[in-house]
Amino acid sequence: MNKAVKIIVEVILFVAIVGLVYVIYGSIMQPVNFNKEKAQREAVAIQRLKDIRTLQVAFKSVNGRFTPSVDSLKDFYQTGNMSVIMQVGSADDSLAMAHTDKVKRTLRGKNVNAQLYQLYLAGDKNLVFSVETKIPVKDTLFRSRTDFCPDSLAFIPFSGGDRVEMESDIRMVSGVPVPLFEARIPYKKLLKGMDNQLRINLDAERRDQNKYEGLQVGSISAPNNNAGNWE
């Protein structure tokens, strides 16, 4: 074998070895990269389901039931009101308590606290009482969340526009009617565009474990205190 041929063979072998190493490395890193991106997408989806749960609980506190519609939750957030207990003053403030007792003796009617609230609004800030009042939902929930967007609630992240799957129902539990809801984000939609075979394997693994193939909060078939399946 002359020198030129030897060099060509060595180059071919080197390229083949590099290609083989690349293939092996890719086969090792493929599931690693899949799981890394899966975790990133899950984090976004979990936050969305948590937001839906927060709004569902607030919706139920006002309406006595959950809603099967994410659009209803969006409307509730934007236009609804919630009843909250507002505490004014402190029972540890003896001067304020004495002043409040004195004012109460001048009031007539059953709803004393509501009358105290009107006096408070009129300028008497030395009162101690609690009163139920209504405030807009959007002024109560997610106020510290700069990333909260009600328009995104209905959609599965990274799916290209697929909607979150949600149901609600009222089931008898130990003879008592219990409002229930569940919201679901299937991996098939959340992991869209990622390695499809690895996603199929993931779904199969979840089914073998008798688990939902995706992320879910709440349950209409088995009451779970509105827990998420990631918790």
Side-chain angles (χ1 to χ4, degrees):
M1 181 182 297
N2 60 43
K3 186 175 182 180
V5 173
K6 182 179 180 182
I7 292 174
I8 292 173
V9 171
E10 289 176 347
V11 169
I12 293 173
L13 288 174
F14 176 76
V15 171
I17 291 171
V18 170
L20 181 60
V21 170
Y22 179 80
V23 170
I24 293 173
Y25 177 80
S27 65
I28 294 173
M29 292 304 298
Q30 190 173 19
V32 173
N33 292 332
F34 177 87
N35 288 330
K36 182 178 179 180
E37 185 171 354
K38 169 178 168 287
Q40 293 172 343
R41 293 192 181 194
E42 281 182 325
V44 178
I46 285 171
Q47 186 60 62
R48 187 148 304 171
L49 290 177
K50 285 182 177 179
D51 292 345
I52 287 174
R53 174 172 60 188
T54 297
L55 282 168
Q56 280 280 29
V57 171
F59 184 93
K60 176 177 172 290
S61 72
V62 174
N63 299 283
R65 60 178 177 82
F66 294 117
T67 174
S69 167
V70 182
D71 290 333
S72 295
L73 291 181
K74 174 185 171 182
D75 183 66
F76 174 70
Y77 172 78
Q78 293 177 326
T79 65
N81 293 299
M82 292 177 59
S83 295
V84 297
I85 302 299
M86 184 176 72
Q87 176 64 45
V88 176
S90 171
D92 295 331
D93 187 336
S94 58
L95 292 177
M97 287 295 295
H99 172 69
T100 301
D101 289 338
K102 181 179 178 180
V103 172
K104 283 182 177 180
R105 288 193 291 271
T106 68
L107 301 177
R108 297 291 183 270
K110 294 182 179 180
N111 202 337
V112 173
N113 283 354
Q115 296 179 65
L116 289 174
Y117 182 53
Q118 293 302 316
L119 292 173
Y120 174 81
L121 293 177
D124 190 345
K125 306 302 181 183
N126 197 30
L127 295 168
V128 180
F129 64 94
S130 62
V131 64
E132 182 176 340
T133 185
K134 291 186 179 296
I135 59 176
V137 175
K138 62 183 179 181
D139 290 343
T140 307
L141 302 180
F142 312 118
R143 291 189 63 186
S144 62
R145 284 271 307 284
T146 58
D147 64 333
F148 177 73
C149 177
D151 292 330
S152 300
L153 277 175
F155 302 102
I156 297 174
F158 312 103
S159 70
D162 291 328
R163 296 178 69 89
V164 173
E165 302 169 3
M166 193 163 76
E167 300 175 69
S168 69
D169 199 0
I170 297 179
R171 299 286 179 89
M172 298 300 294
V173 179
S174 299
V176 178
V178 177
L180 302 170
F181 89 96
E182 67 181 43
R184 302 180 301 274
I185 293 180
Y187 281 136
K188 184 176 182 179
K189 297 178 180 180
L190 177 64
L191 306 183
K192 186 178 291 187
M194 295 174 58
D195 188 292
N196 194 52
Q197 186 58 55
L198 290 178
R199 196 272 308 162
I200 290 173
N201 295 345
L202 174 64
D203 283 352
E205 180 182 345
R206 300 284 291 187
R207 286 193 298 271
D208 289 343
Q209 297 172 349
N210 199 28
K211 295 179 179 179
Y212 173 63
E213 302 103 271
L215 299 171
Q216 177 178 321
V217 63
S219 174
I220 62 171
S221 58
N224 62 0
N225 200 29
N226 306 326
N229 66 351
W230 63 87
E231 295 174 318

